């Protein structure tokens, strides 16, 4: 597939900003090339623009070469970079399914790109034909969120494959919740599909939402062009250090992940026993979408008891649903007690 045809002409033509750290990458004795303050305080130097230590460690964990990775200031930055590489404002469109992550419509507004929403079927099922039929010659990207937020389920592998194989555009699979899922990441298919971009994040299972570190994995061609437009020092020094520390402490990651999964099971059984709960949607994420008779009333009631859940009642297929994140064991007990107290 000719990816270049999908890239905006001005982006293909641009000369990237070349930072001092780009031009000289060896180890030197004297660093007086970047107008930094020379007095050491841990952050007086600009950070590595390509975050190589973090990428090397990610490469070991994910089994993906570093040249197939880009790291952003949260996946929100990564998604924005993808928009700006491919979508010509006022001309191009992107396609996403409905319901899905709330950032895609915002990015469309900000970048002045048309959003074509295709409704999921009952049970949050992706219909590949409908998604493909919604596209035209100005479609640049299909955004697929799997496991999906707010529904929590993995979207169907067969349907996603059809969208990839239609070759109607770039397919971005947002895998913010993949670590909680009983499925392989789509990063295993990168070699097979040149139009595939997989986004992940350290914000959820890795427990580092405050750091703002998001990743994307794609062909070297796509990564090169994303690197060309990203702000040079987009991931700050402290975030790189803390990200590396966390990635080097896989035991803690595994331990917390196991606890969250156990707590999710407990929460599901506890909710299933409550008469008020009409449905618990199947979830491959760290949250549960739960249907009740009156989501607004329950939401307000919990709020009065200082418990905040996400009211998703206005979303398509989510009428009277609240989204509950799995918290600490203590928080989860409070939530269950709170719901039980609701009359
Ligand atoms: C939470 C979430 C993200 C994470 O965004 P960051 O900017 O990396 O914190 C991305 N996509 C989806 C669908 C999410 O729910």
């Amino acid at each position: 597939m000719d990816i270049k045809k999908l890239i905006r002409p001005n982006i293909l033509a641009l000369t990237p900003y070349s930072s001092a750290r780009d031009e000289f990458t060896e180890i030197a004795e004297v660093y007086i090339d970047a107008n930094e303050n020379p007095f050491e305080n841990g952050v007086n130097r600009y950070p590595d623009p390509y975050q190589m230590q973090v990428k090397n460690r990610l490469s070991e964990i994910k089994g993906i070469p570093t040249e197939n990775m880009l790291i952003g200031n949260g996946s929100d930055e990564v998604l924005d970079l993808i928009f700006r590489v491919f979508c010509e404002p006022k001309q191009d469109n992107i396609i996403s399914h409905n319901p899905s992550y709330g950032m895609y419509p915002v990015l469309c507004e900000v970048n002045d790109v048309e959003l074509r929403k295709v409704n999921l079927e009952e049970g949050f099922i992706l219909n590949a034909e409908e998604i493909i039929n919604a596209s035209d010659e100005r479609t640049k990207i299909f955004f697929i969120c799997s496991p999906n937020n707010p529904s929590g389920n993995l979207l169907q592998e067969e349907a996603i494959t059809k969208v990839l194989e239609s070759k109607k555009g770039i397919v971005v699979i947002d895998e913010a919740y993949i670590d909680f899922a009983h499925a392989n990441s789509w990063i295993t298919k990168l070699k097979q599909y040149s139009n595939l971009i997989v986004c992940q994040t350290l914000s959820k299972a890795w427990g580092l939402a405050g750091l703002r570190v998001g990743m994307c994995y794609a062909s070297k061609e796509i990564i090169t062009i994303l690197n060309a437009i990203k702000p040079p020092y987009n991931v700050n020094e402290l975030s790189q250090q803390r990200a590396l520390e966390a990635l080097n402490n896989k035991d803690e990651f595994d331990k917390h992940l196991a606890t969250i999964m156990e707590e999710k099971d407990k929460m599901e059984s506890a909710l299933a026993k409550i008469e008020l709960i009409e449905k618990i949607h199947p979830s491959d994420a760290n949250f549960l979408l739960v249907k009740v008779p009156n989501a607004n009333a329950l939401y307000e009631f919990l709020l009065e008891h200082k418990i905040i859940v996400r009211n998703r009642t206005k979303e398509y297929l989510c009428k009277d649903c609240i989204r509950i994140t799995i918290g600490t064991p203590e928080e989860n007990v409070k939530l269950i007690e709170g719901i039980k107290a609701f009359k």
Side-chain angles (χ1 to χ4, degrees):
M1 214 183 141
D2 191 359
I3 300 299
K4 283 206 175 58
K5 282 201 185 121
L6 295 170
I7 298 173
R8 294 164 67 201
N10 60 315
I11 300 290
L12 261 186
L14 72 75
T15 313
Y17 171 72
S18 182
S19 71
R21 292 286 167 273
D22 272 323
E23 285 171 15
F24 189 84
T25 55
E26 321 285 302
I27 304 286
E29 274 179 27
V30 177
Y31 284 102
I32 46 178
D33 59 340
N35 299 345
E36 295 151 335
N37 184 313
F39 298 105
E40 194 55 56
N41 62 12
V43 286
N44 58 313
R45 300 292 179 184
Y46 281 107
D48 174 3
Y50 298 108
Q51 309 96 16
M52 284 317 298
Q53 284 186 297
V54 180
K55 280 184 189 165
N56 285 332
R57 184 67 192 112
L58 273 175
S59 177
E60 289 169 5
I61 295 173
K62 304 280 177 182
I64 299 285
T66 57
E67 65 184 26
N68 297 109
M69 293 177 190
L70 174 113
I71 303 185
N73 187 20
S75 30
D76 288 340
E77 182 186 41
V78 175
L79 295 169
D80 188 54
L81 291 171
I82 295 170
F83 259 85
R84 288 193 284 154
V85 160
F86 296 104
C87 300
E88 199 61 47
K90 297 191 200 301
Q91 293 180 24
D92 290 338
N93 65 72
I94 67 131
I95 295 176
S96 90
H97 50 78
N98 189 30
S100 189
Y101 184 38
M103 266 312 280
Y104 311 143
V106 174
L107 287 167
C108 280
E109 295 283 350
V110 170
N111 290 288
D112 208 353
V113 167
E114 181 196 346
L115 171 62
R116 299 186 174 182
K117 280 193 195 180
V118 176
N119 287 341
L120 291 177
E121 291 170 1
E122 197 71 44
F124 304 105
I125 299 194
L126 186 71
N127 183 320
E129 283 73 27
E130 280 186 33
I131 289 261
I132 295 164
N133 288 340
S135 70
D136 62 15
E137 69 287 351
R138 298 258 34 152
T139 298
K140 293 297 183 69
I141 310 172
F142 298 84
F143 278 93
I144 292 171
C145 187
S146 180
N148 187 34
N149 181 4
S151 54
N153 62 316
L154 284 158
L155 294 188
Q156 298 63 42
E157 185 177 342
E158 210 184 302
I160 297 176
T161 301
K162 279 186 194 162
V163 179
L164 278 162
E165 291 185 349
S166 76
K167 300 188 179 169
K168 300 280 191 192
I170 299 291
V171 179
V172 175
I173 306 182
D174 187 339
E175 290 189 338
Y177 300 98
I178 192 66
D179 297 304
F180 304 105
H182 300 283
N184 286 332
S185 163
W186 283 86
I187 59 174
T188 55
K189 309 271 179 159
L190 280 174
K191 282 205 188 108
Q192 228 167 307
Y193 301 110
S194 60
N195 56 338
L196 172 61
I197 301 180
V198 180
C199 293
Q200 296 182 355
T201 179
L202 298 188
S203 294
K204 306 285 158 65
W206 284 95
L208 300 170
L211 280 192
R212 313 307 305 130
V213 176
M215 302 83 82
C216 86
Y217 305 89
S219 70
K220 195 176 161 191
E221 186 182 15
I222 293 176
I223 294 299
T224 302
I225 201 88
L226 287 167
N227 270 323
I229 73 158
K230 80 174 183 69
Y233 306 113
N234 61 328
V235 182
N236 73 69
E237 178 63 31
L238 298 178
S239 289
Q240 292 192 39
Q241 287 175 13
R242 283 292 299 272
L244 188 62
E245 225 173 86
L247 292 168
N248 280 332
N249 194 350
K250 187 93 176 12
D251 285 350
E252 183 161 302
F253 167 87
D254 290 334
K255 197 179 85 191
H256 284 156
L257 183 60
T259 305
I260 292 169
M261 299 308 275
E262 267 170 43
E263 283 296 309
K264 182 180 158 188
D265 282 348
K266 276 199 236 162
M267 171 95 82
E268 269 190 271
S269 344
L271 288 171
K273 292 195 192 104
I274 303 175
E275 209 177 320
L276 184 81
I277 306 297
E278 292 179 357
K279 185 171 174 68
I280 306 166
H281 288 280
S283 165
D284 263 283
N286 64 334
F287 58 83
L288 296 170
L289 187 72
V290 170
K291 187 167 188 310
V292 294
N294 185 339
N296 290 336
L298 178 61
Y299 175 80
E300 291 299 331
F301 177 84
L302 291 174
L303 202 57
E304 279 166 28
H305 291 74
K306 300 193 163 60
I307 299 168
I308 309 173
V309 294
R310 201 87 198 266
N311 186 356
R312 298 282 80 181
T313 190
K314 289 191 179 134
E315 299 284 316
Y316 181 68
L317 297 180
C318 301
K319 177 140 180 29
D320 280 316
C321 288
I322 58 169
R323 195 192 69 192
I324 304 167
T325 307
I326 308 304
T328 62
E330 296 74 26
E331 287 177 316
N332 301 335
V333 167
K334 281 188 188 153
L335 182 269
I336 294 296
E337 284 171 356
I339 296 180
K340 281 183 179 165
F342 179 73
K343 293 282 176 280

